[in-house]
Amino acid sequence: MLSLQLFSSNPKPTLLDYPLNPLLYPKCLKPPKPYPKSKPAPISSVLSWNRKPELAGETPRVVVITSGKGGVGKTTTTANVGLSLARLGFSVVAIDADVGLRNLDLLLGLENRVNYTVVEVLNGDCRLDQALVRDKRWSNFELLCISKPRSKLPIGFGGKALVWLVDALKAREEGSPDFILIDCPAGIDAGFITAITPANEAVLVTTPDITSLRDADRVTGLLECDGIRDIKMIVNRVRTDMIKGEDMMSVLDVQEMLGLALLGVIPEDSEVIRSTNRGYPLVLNKPPTLAGLAFEQAAWRLVEQDSMKAVMVEEEPKKRGFFSFFGG
């Protein structure tokens, strides 16, 4: 075997001159350390946060956020999903289609900056760009209100007027927005029909209770009759402790009843009330809350037209009392 030797009168032994058995090493030399074992690769998450989501479908994507039942979180979903899309780099226009009972400007903290509405635009009192309220925190997010509080729409206002409004947003000089989110009013009356007319996809917000699910099932049928086939749902106000105690339906039960693709699951969070009163959406909180992270993930899936899978929550075993020994 070839060996390398230094040109000196008294060469010192090196590690190459000794065998691999550590017992035969002299005290002056230490045996080489074994190579560390390779660690297993970490489990990658479903959502790759180190990249920007790829926008699927033709732009602008007109999405109506509806539920049928009031108080399930439509406006909260519109505000948080809209700002999440803006933070991802997409241009968003949120339209509050609730006539006389608008609340989206309150949740966004923009109530003092709404000077003109769609009614003034249709009457010729202002331009469309004057009615659009740009958010100072994210300049690619804009708010557009249909009417002022406690006001009534003219008789001629309907689905065709909202279609004209969406077409006007598409033909703007500064470019068409990537997303147009329509905050739909509660119920299935004329306001609901007007809000869903220009939309080509829908997000159905529901809570895991029977009253909300019955209204959501009715709204799903109306959306399909109007030609909207891309319908996804967000299950709001989910409490895992009540699901384990069999006091609340699980997300799997909700999905089986409605038969819709799942866009997101929003846990019950007390921070929602605080953020609403401050006019500061959940997704802007630092540190982020669980509900805020869930809204961000739902916005990510909305961009890529993706859905999630519900996971079964194991039920807690019921506590057995003393008389259960006797069969009670």
Side-chain angles (χ1 to χ4, degrees):
M1 183 179 70
L2 296 177
S3 61
L4 299 177
Q5 294 182 354
L6 298 176
F7 294 96
S8 61
S9 59
N10 188 16
K12 296 181 180 180
T14 61
L15 293 177
L16 295 178
D17 299 328
Y18 293 95
L20 296 178
N21 189 355
L23 298 177
L24 301 179
Y25 277 80
K27 295 183 180 180
C28 61
L29 294 176
K30 296 182 180 179
K33 296 182 180 180
Y35 290 102
K37 296 182 180 180
S38 58
K39 298 181 180 180
I43 301 175
S44 58
S45 60
V46 178
L47 299 177
S48 302
W49 297 105
N50 59 344
R51 67 175 179 86
K52 181 181 177 180
E54 298 179 1
L55 181 59
E58 298 180 357
T59 57
R61 289 173 53 185
V62 185
V63 185
V64 60
I65 300 177
T66 181
S67 68
K69 188 177 184 299
V72 298
K74 295 184 299 294
T75 305
T76 303
T77 301
T78 305
N80 286 278
V81 171
L83 275 178
S84 297
L85 293 173
R87 295 177 66 189
L88 291 173
F90 302 101
S91 56
V92 182
V93 174
I95 302 177
D96 192 344
D98 198 345
V99 179
L101 295 174
R102 75 179 197 209
N103 293 314
L104 186 57
D105 55 337
L106 290 173
L107 268 68
L108 294 170
L110 302 175
E111 65 275 7
N112 295 326
R113 297 180 55 199
V114 180
N115 298 320
Y116 299 103
T117 62
V118 174
V119 174
E120 281 81 16
V121 176
L122 295 176
N123 293 334
D125 299 332
C126 68
R127 302 187 307 273
L128 178 60
D129 59 339
Q130 292 177 317
L132 288 167
V133 180
R134 191 181 301 274
D135 196 308
K136 294 182 179 180
R137 296 161 295 194
W138 297 94
S139 59
N140 52 345
F141 181 88
E142 294 173 304
L143 172 66
L144 181 62
C145 297
I146 293 292
S147 65
K148 294 181 179 179
R150 298 182 299 276
S151 64
K152 296 182 180 180
L153 281 181
I155 299 177
F157 189 88
K160 292 183 179 180
L162 200 56
V163 171
W164 173 87
L165 181 64
V166 171
D167 292 338
L169 291 173
K170 295 179 182 178
R172 286 196 304 173
E173 294 181 357
E174 53 268 30
S176 173
D178 297 319
F179 286 90
I180 299 177
L181 304 181
I182 303 176
D183 184 16
C184 183
I188 54 174
D189 53 0
F192 169 80
I193 301 300
T194 300
I196 69 173
T197 300
N200 46 36
E201 54 184 302
V203 174
L204 189 66
V205 183
T206 184
T207 54
D209 59 83
I210 56 175
T211 56
S212 179
L213 291 177
R214 185 170 69 175
D215 293 349
D217 185 60
R218 173 64 174 157
V219 168
T220 302
L222 295 176
L223 292 172
E224 292 177 349
C225 291
D226 197 65
I228 301 177
R229 303 296 180 184
D230 188 359
I231 307 174
K232 295 182 176 64
M233 71 171 178
I234 289 180
V235 185
N236 195 17
R237 296 180 180 175
V238 176
R239 292 183 55 178
T240 55
D241 57 338
M242 295 186 66
I243 294 176
K244 291 179 180 179
E246 299 183 358
D247 296 323
M248 177 181 285
M249 284 185 289
S250 66
V251 180
L252 279 176
D253 297 334
V254 174
Q255 196 170 15
E256 289 177 359
M257 292 182 65
L258 297 180
L260 298 175
L262 188 60
L263 185 65
V265 178
I266 314 300
E268 181 73 33
D269 196 341
S270 60
E271 191 64 27
V272 175
I273 299 177
R274 298 189 187 96
S275 65
T276 300
N277 294 334
R278 295 197 309 262
Y280 199 79
L282 282 172
V283 294
L284 302 180
N285 283 6
K286 293 181 180 180
T289 62
L290 291 177
L293 292 175
F295 278 122
E296 289 183 349
Q297 293 175 1
W300 186 288
R301 299 185 189 98
L302 182 64
V303 171
E304 297 190 340
Q305 293 183 341
D306 197 4
S307 60
M308 64 177 293
K309 293 182 180 180
V311 180
M312 181 179 296
V313 178
E314 295 183 0
E315 299 176 354
E316 291 183 350
K318 295 183 178 180
K319 297 181 179 179
R320 305 186 67 182
F322 173 76
F323 293 100
S324 62
F325 179 77
F326 302 99

